[in-house]
Amino acid sequence: LHHRSPGPVGAALADDRVVLEIIADGVHLHPDIVRIAASAAAGRVALVTDAMAAAGAADGSYRLGALDVEVAGGVAHVVGTDTIAGSTLTQDAALRVTVGAGVPLAVAVRALTETPARVLGREDLGTLEPGRLADAVLLTADLRVARVWLAGEPA
């Protein structure tokens, strides 16, 4: 994003038809960028993970297709490079990073639930209403997973 040439980021922010996928892990995007995007594209941000096999797992060696990946400090890199190799992000962590960046909780939750469901055309997901699947996650006050329901049943 440049002040004289907005480029693809500026075009995406300016176009109400575009939903921005944000990897809110503090690695792919700085938290300030997460907050700016959420503000500039209200209702058009979908939090995604770009997660690989190491998501939620310990640091160590992993494979991503044909690539050897090393995870250190929760950050995945192609072995021998500085290239990010997906993420180890989970959705609850994305929510914590997004809220920590200054995005209001309700806006961040919508970016995890309603917006991605809308993009996928999944009218059965995204909100808790009659006729929906009733997939739900109960979070603690510090946004940690406390309990999960799938189709209304405890998981």
Side-chain angles (χ1 to χ4, degrees):
L1 183 63
H2 187 274
H3 67 286
R4 290 193 188 106
S5 177
V9 173
L13 288 170
D15 190 336
D16 289 340
R17 299 170 300 171
V18 176
V19 172
L20 293 91
E21 293 182 349
I22 300 290
I23 304 168
D25 61 358
V27 176
H28 282 78
L29 295 174
H30 188 280
D32 287 343
I33 297 299
V34 173
R35 186 183 69 255
I36 291 166
S39 177
R44 298 188 296 117
V45 168
L47 294 177
V48 299
T49 65
D50 192 32
M52 54 152 325
D59 288 354
S61 299
Y62 295 89
R63 298 276 295 168
L64 179 60
L67 300 175
D68 291 321
V69 175
E70 186 68 27
V71 177
V75 180
H77 287 100
V78 175
V79 170
T81 74
D82 290 333
T83 302
I84 297 171
S87 80
T88 61
L89 185 65
T90 58
Q91 289 290 52
D92 60 313
L95 181 65
R96 289 190 296 276
V97 169
T98 302
V99 170
V103 176
L105 179 60
V107 172
V109 168
R110 181 178 182 193
L112 273 176
T113 58
E114 186 178 339
T115 302
R118 185 182 77 242
V119 168
L120 293 172
R122 294 291 307 266
E123 295 180 12
D124 57 333
L125 297 174
T127 61
L128 291 176
E129 299 175 31
R132 304 283 176 126
L133 284 181
D135 291 346
V137 178
L138 175 66
L139 300 172
T140 62
D142 63 349
L143 305 178
R144 306 275 174 189
V145 175
R147 195 162 175 203
V148 176
W149 292 265
L150 297 173
E153 298 294 325

